[in-house]
Amino acid sequence: MRIGITCHPVTGGSGVVASELGIALAERGHQVHLVSYELPVRVDRFLENLYYHQVEVSVYPLFKYPPYTLALAAKLAEVAKTWKLDLLHAHYAIPHATCCYLARVMLGDGAPKIITTLHGTDITLVGSDKSFYEITKFSIEASDGVTCVSNYLKEEMCREFDVCVDTRVIYNFVDTDRYKPDGSCEFRRNIAPNGEKIVMHVSNFRPLKRIGDVVDTFRLIRSGTSSKLLMIGEGPELASARELVAQYHLKDDVVFLGNQENIEHILPIGDLLLLPSEHESFGLAALEALACGVPVIGTSHTGIPELVDNGKSGYTLPLGDTETMAKKGLELLSNPEKHKRFSEYARKSVVDRFQQDMIVKQYEDYYEEILAK
Ligand code: GMT
């Protein structure tokens, strides 16, 4: 197939999924065209079938806001026409599904089919924002096929938008050959020289990630066992996280690593990952941690329970209940046998259910199904 993919290319779950999918599809022999303003994250190697088309936006004094979405729609139409694309795959509804729709209208007869993958905040936050609501609903309904990264998100979409469109749940995936346990990791000794337990958090530090709950849970865990907290990522809550760490006198035990490119080399050193989000349609960071044999504590009202089996590969608990999160975390960290059991289960559950080849095949099948309509 000849497939165009557009996404938010910078750090963020949807960009990661879009680029990993593009790479995997190209490796399986499809011709893949990535269209965006920057080379998407994780595209770090040359592949014969993988093309990148940069969207340029002219700066003109009249434009207070440069019209990126129009430039993207025009580029999608140009690429689709030149390369005779079969389909356009939009990751994250706003603005990508809308741009694909515009490109299809511009192309008229013979235009590619459009598949939109909803990732989370495009529905739970952005899409339900009054100013974006109607255009999000319209763009979803105008797609030929829609996928959601969890059942939780599909339910949220139906509840929020009441849309009538073919929708498939296709979970996110991970390359389990790259993301795997690594007991020999040298980095562990640098972070925890005295054999401390390592608790981790990975995100874009937005308010919905509840960074305060991460720090508070760690504070309680640390009062029960000697441990370190590794914070990976950057975003608006970073400064307040640093302040909280100072306020709790935790500075010596918390390391802020900033954004990291190859977290498959960092995750395996962890003993526990905390993801106490207010909204989380899936939790790609949690999946990557589980693949590395790291148990996860996350929130129960989100999509996280679809990948974290409560009491087996981690715990899913109520939003804001940092006391129970710390209690469960501490139980796990102070019982090596139980931790080993959780760690092995975590790894196995990912290999069985979220392995890259298996999920990419589901996308291929869905593409075929939509193209045959
Ligand atoms: O909101 C974010 O955290 C970033 C966002 C994105 O689109 O880049 O992540 C969403 O998509 C990821 C990939 O499908 C999911 O793993 C995340 O759970 C989801 N984030 C939220 O729902 C908050």
Side-chain angles (χ1 to χ4, degrees):
M1 279 176 270
R2 291 183 296 271
I3 305 152
I5 292 181
T6 184
C7 66
H8 293 291
V10 291
T11 315
S14 59
V16 169
V17 171
S19 31
E20 299 278 12
L21 178 62
I23 293 168
L25 289 165
E27 282 173 344
R28 292 163 84 96
H30 301 287
Q31 190 185 85
V32 178
H33 295 263
L34 302 171
V35 186
S36 195
Y37 60 86
E38 207 173 286
L39 189 66
V41 277
R42 304 247 176 131
V43 181
D44 54 1
R45 58 190 180 279
F46 171 74
L47 279 172
E48 220 176 296
N49 293 342
L50 189 64
Y51 297 76
Y52 167 58
H53 307 272
Q54 183 147 11
V55 179
E56 306 282 355
V57 190
S58 316
V59 180
Y60 183 62
L62 193 64
F63 299 151
K64 184 173 174 196
Y65 304 105
Y68 172 70
T69 47
L70 298 184
L72 174 60
K75 181 59 95 179
L76 286 166
E78 176 202 311
V79 173
K81 191 172 177 185
T82 309
W83 294 89
K84 300 185 175 49
L85 299 187
D86 299 306
L87 62 88
L88 290 171
H89 191 167
H91 286 264
Y92 208 90
I94 295 292
H96 303 121
T98 322
C99 296
C100 288
Y101 167 79
L102 256 181
R104 189 178 67 191
V105 175
M106 286 166 74
L107 290 164
D109 285 348
K113 292 274 174 78
I114 299 172
I115 291 178
T116 297
T117 290
L118 302 172
H119 282 272
T121 44
D122 44 356
I123 294 301
T124 54
L125 293 181
V126 183
S128 52
D129 177 315
K130 231 172 149 203
S131 56
F132 289 119
Y133 183 87
E134 289 300 339
I135 195 146
T136 304
K137 182 172 159 65
F138 171 82
S139 308
I140 293 172
E141 286 179 332
S143 303
D144 298 293
V146 174
T147 78
C148 290
V149 298
S150 63
N151 287 299
Y152 161 83
L153 186 62
K154 183 173 173 178
E155 279 159 28
E156 285 292 298
M157 183 203 69
C158 293
R159 195 176 55 79
E160 199 67 64
F161 291 97
D162 186 28
V163 292
C164 172
V165 67
D166 182 325
T167 309
R168 186 71 44 87
V169 172
I170 301 183
Y171 284 134
N172 288 332
F173 58 88
V174 63
D175 180 349
T176 49
D177 292 333
R178 257 167 61 216
Y179 287 79
K180 56 180 191 287
D182 177 8
S184 67
C185 205
E186 178 67 24
F187 184 41
R188 184 177 178 108
R189 278 184 285 281
N190 297 336
I191 299 288
N194 304 309
E196 294 93 338
K197 301 294 179 195
I198 298 181
V199 180
M200 291 180 149
H201 172 75
V202 185
S203 79
N204 48 19
F205 286 63
R206 284 196 274 157
L208 60 85
K209 298 290 176 180
R210 305 270 295 204
I211 304 298
D213 287 1
V214 173
V215 177
D216 197 43
T217 304
F218 174 69
R219 175 182 68 85
L220 296 168
I221 288 179
R222 183 181 157 280
S223 63
T225 188
S226 139
S227 44
K228 300 278 183 182
L229 174 64
L230 211 50
M231 299 285 260
I232 303 163
E234 278 169 22
E237 296 293 292
L238 186 57
S240 57
R242 285 185 190 277
E243 267 171 40
L244 199 57
V245 165
Q247 201 182 310
Y248 286 153
H249 306 288
L250 295 171
K251 268 180 157 176
D252 291 343
D253 292 322
V254 181
V255 181
F256 288 92
L257 282 183
N259 281 336
Q260 293 290 328
E261 289 283 315
N262 296 102
I263 59 165
E264 67 268 34
H265 300 307
I266 306 173
L267 286 172
I269 74 165
D271 296 300
L272 180 67
L273 182 106
L274 301 177
L275 199 59
S277 316
E278 185 173 350
H279 298 284
E280 200 68 71
S281 65
F282 185 86
L284 190 60
L287 183 68
E288 292 174 340
L290 295 172
C292 296
V294 180
V296 172
I297 291 183
T299 30
S300 49
H301 68 289
T302 62
I304 297 173
E306 292 177 55
L307 50 146
V308 176
D309 287 342
N310 194 28
K312 287 181 173 164
S313 55
Y315 293 99
T316 49
L317 297 163
L319 178 68
D321 188 358
T322 54
E323 276 191 20
T324 312
M325 289 182 190
K327 184 172 163 271
K328 292 292 182 192
L330 206 46
E331 273 171 28
L332 207 49
L333 294 174
S334 23
N335 183 338
E337 242 174 63
K338 186 173 183 175
H339 187 274
K340 186 166 181 279
R341 204 168 59 243
F342 272 54
S343 172
E344 285 170 0
Y345 184 96
R347 169 77 188 168
K348 187 175 179 318
S349 66
V350 176
V351 172
D352 289 350
R353 297 176 53 219
F354 302 97
Q355 219 286 321
Q356 176 168 299
D357 285 348
M358 209 167 80
I359 305 285
V360 173
K361 172 84 172 60
Q362 291 177 20
Y363 274 111
E364 281 180 318
D365 291 348
Y366 190 59
Y367 289 170
E368 300 278 8
E369 205 179 305
I370 294 299
L371 286 176
K373 275 191 178 170

